[in-house]
Each structure stands twice: as C-alpha cells, then as structure tokens.
Amino acid sequence: MGIFGWGKDETRAASDRTAAQVQEVARHGSGGSALERARGADEGGLSGAATRLMERLLDVGIDGKGPFDSAHEVADDALKDAGGDPDLAIRLVHRQHRRLGLAGGFATGFGGFFTMAVALPANVVEFYLLGTRMTAATARLRGYDIDQPEIRSAVLLTLAGADSDDLLKKAGVFAAGGKLTAVALERLPAPALMVLNKAIAFRLLGRLGSGIIAKLGRAVPVVGGLIGGGVDAYMLTRIAGQARREFPAVATYGR
C-alpha cells in the first residue's frame, strides 16, 4: 500500500486498462466521450487522483502558476544567461532543478517520522512538478513546441522512465525512433493523447507510493533530510539524462 492509499499493482492495472483505450479513442472517440473516459467514473478515488495529477503536471509543471515559473520562462531565462547557447542553457536548467530537488528533499526529511506523513506527499508531487518543468524546458531549448499536445505527452512519458516503453506498447503506439517519435508519428488526436496522459499518471501514482522517493531512511530526523535531498537530486539527474535522449535537437532555438 502506497502513501496515497493505492498499491503499485492497483495503479499499474488501472494504467494498463486506460492505455488499452487509446487506439479506440483515436479511431472512434469524440472530444466529449474521450474526456469522460479520461476522467473515469470514480473521480473521488484512484481515477480522480490520476486525473488531478495529470492536470497539475501539465497545467503547473509546464505552464506555471503563481511563483512556479513556466517551462517557457525557465528556458528563456536560461538561454539568456547562457548567452544564446542552447546546450549551456540546458545544463543550467538541469543544475537549477537539481538544486531545487535537493532543497525540497532535505526539507521533507529533516523532521523525520513526526513530519513525514504531511511533508512527503507534498514533496513527491513537487518532485514531479520539477521533473516536468525541467523536461519541458529541455524540449523547448532543443527546438520543440511544448504547447503541442504530443510534445506534452512526450514530456510525461519521459517522467515514466522504463515504464514508458510498456505503456506505449499497451497503447498500440510503436516506432523505431524513440518515445517522442512514436507519439509524434502516430499523430494521435488530442482526446487519445489525453487518455494516454492519464495512463502515465496512474504509473506515476504507483511510483509515488512505493518507489525509492518514499523510503531510504526519511523517518530519521536530520539524517532523513540529507538522504531525502540526495535521493531527489539523484532522481532528477536521471530524468535530466532521459530528457536529453528523448528530445534530440531538431531546430535552432527561437526560430
């Protein structure tokens, strides 16, 4: 059982069922019916949690909200600081987000067991918001339009890591060129991409509750902060490497 009340097996099964609907929605679904499918019948339970996570990652992680700058702003600021060099800008973005992950993870684990029940759920969502923004900013600096639905889905797939290959197979999306190419070449309509996004969100929920982020000694005060910060920074480094691979340069930034 994960920290959000659902086990990994339950979230994986929900993800598989949702992914299996992608091609059906692509062939027959309308916007309205797809929205209903993506939201699911039980918005108060696991389905609702996946929908809320999906919407938050896209709406806040990419588009920004309040003090949380958008991926557009982060990419533009980094490019300016890098003197117009996209590769240097990407390194700056990754460094910035590793530092933010380190600080957030330390704050979560600092109080140990007594604060973990409250702090950990907030931290793991914050972690994926940072990962989403970092990946989207990387894509923008590599010449991709992060306002396009297929690119936004590719950003979420990058967060899913090793699970993304299995997800794409279950969704009936195949291509030799990689995950981004698979989504882009299939030209899935927006409703089908919405369903795919929710399938990804189910997988992320399972990882939030049972993965390395939720463990590794965070119950010990102070020491837990050091471990938590280190783990978050390490995981963001892995996501950064995945983002570099999944979004090869396709255009000169700013054209």
Side-chain angles (χ1 to χ4, degrees):
M1 186 69 69
I3 58 174
F4 291 95
W6 301 287
K8 194 168 185 178
D9 290 343
E10 185 179 1
T11 55
R12 186 183 183 91
S15 175
D16 290 349
R17 289 193 301 270
T18 305
Q21 298 175 355
V22 168
Q23 291 299 326
E24 180 186 354
V25 172
R27 289 191 300 266
H28 307 295
S30 64
S33 62
L35 180 60
E36 292 172 2
R37 291 169 191 244
R39 288 190 174 278
D42 182 14
E43 282 300 276
L46 175 57
S47 179
T51 297
R52 290 189 294 274
L53 178 61
M54 172 187 71
E55 292 174 345
R56 189 169 186 184
L57 293 181
L58 293 173
D59 296 343
V60 180
I62 297 180
D63 297 330
K65 185 176 182 181
F68 195 86
D69 291 338
S70 71
H72 297 79
E73 294 170 309
V74 168
D76 292 350
D77 289 345
L79 190 68
K80 182 178 179 181
D81 291 341
D85 183 343
D87 289 334
L88 177 56
I90 289 172
R91 292 197 294 272
L92 292 177
V93 167
H94 293 178
R95 185 185 308 162
Q96 172 194 10
H97 284 75
R98 283 195 297 269
R99 288 174 177 171
L100 290 170
L102 180 65
F106 179 81
T108 301
F110 184 81
F113 177 81
F114 298 103
T115 60
M116 188 170 62
V118 175
L120 187 56
N123 171 249
V124 291
V125 174
E126 178 192 23
F127 170 85
Y128 275 115
L129 285 173
L130 288 174
T132 300
R133 185 175 69 179
M134 180 180 68
T135 302
T138 301
R140 179 169 169 81
L141 288 164
R142 285 282 173 86
Y144 297 87
D145 182 358
I146 59 175
D147 292 325
Q148 293 299 312
E150 65 271 18
I151 303 302
R152 295 163 82 88
S153 292
V155 167
L156 295 188
L157 279 169
T158 301
L159 298 182
D163 283 346
S164 57
D165 288 328
D166 184 54
L167 270 170
L168 287 175
K169 289 178 182 178
K170 287 183 168 60
V173 181
F174 303 98
K179 301 174 185 62
L180 172 64
T181 305
V183 174
L185 289 182
E186 284 290 322
R187 303 296 184 191
L188 292 174
L193 288 169
M194 187 192 315
V195 175
L196 177 61
N197 291 346
K198 184 162 184 180
I200 299 167
F202 278 121
R203 293 290 180 103
L204 294 181
L205 278 178
R207 295 172 70 180
L208 293 183
S210 61
I212 193 171
I213 300 173
K215 299 177 182 178
L216 291 179
R218 293 194 184 205
V220 182
V222 184
V223 174
L226 297 174
I227 294 174
V231 168
D232 283 6
Y234 169 74
M235 296 292 284
L236 284 168
T237 299
R238 291 185 59 182
I239 292 173
Q242 187 76 5
R244 287 178 181 273
R245 291 188 292 272
E246 295 302 330
F247 294 96
V250 295
T252 300
Y253 178 71
R255 285 185 183 174

